[in-house]
Amino acid sequence: MGEFCCNIVANFVKGKESPESLTTKLQIDQRTKIDHCRAHMERAGQLATVWHFSAADRKDCAAYDALCDYFVEKQRVGLVQTPNYYIYIVPPTEKYLKELNLPASNFVVGLQIPIKK
């Protein structure tokens, strides 16, 4: 938390047709339970955007995997808060993805949820 981890590539999967652009640096400020993430995603409905995050380069793979392992070990997901949206960083485990009604994936899932103003 608060330290550089790795470079990633974000690919749009589904959700809001024209989501706000992601910041170039995702500062993972907090971690939270998957239940909180699911409730927030359900409240957002069609405003939520699903992204797949992958390691940008081979040299980023070890840190990317370690971040996933960290969240699984703590039984949490990461949370990024920007002025305009939240992004939940969800490891690609069957348990987490089922909890969110998302299909199986080998990629970390980013759930972007706009902040209502």
Side-chain angles (χ1 to χ4, degrees):
M1 306 252 191
E3 293 180 22
F4 176 79
C5 177
C6 61
N7 292 303
I8 61 164
V9 175
N11 290 297
F12 177 84
V13 176
K14 68 177 186 174
K16 189 175 177 184
E17 288 296 317
S18 53
E20 186 160 339
S21 296
L22 298 176
T23 61
T24 55
K25 291 184 181 181
L26 296 177
Q27 291 282 133
I28 301 174
D29 309 301
Q30 305 167 45
R31 59 181 195 225
T32 189
K33 293 182 179 181
I34 193 71
D35 296 353
H36 177 80
C37 177
R38 181 180 32 79
H40 204 174
M41 183 178 167
E42 287 171 355
R43 281 193 310 272
Q46 294 182 3
L47 296 177
T49 305
V50 179
W51 299 90
H52 278 169
F53 296 152
S54 56
D57 209 337
R58 189 167 281 229
K59 68 180 191 267
D60 297 305
C61 290
Y64 174 93
D65 290 343
L67 183 65
C68 290
D69 292 345
Y70 170 81
F71 286 126
V72 170
E73 178 185 315
K74 300 293 183 186
Q75 297 181 25
R76 298 287 189 271
V77 297
L79 178 57
V80 175
Q81 186 173 351
T82 74
N84 298 319
Y85 55 82
Y86 299 100
I87 296 183
Y88 290 90
I89 309 295
V90 182
T93 67
E94 183 180 357
K95 176 184 174 185
Y96 286 170
L97 296 177
K98 271 188 177 180
E99 183 84 22
L100 298 171
N101 292 318
L102 294 172
S105 172
N106 292 326
F107 300 104
V108 168
V109 173
L111 294 174
Q112 181 181 15
I113 301 185
I115 294 174
K116 293 179 182 172
K117 294 183 179 184

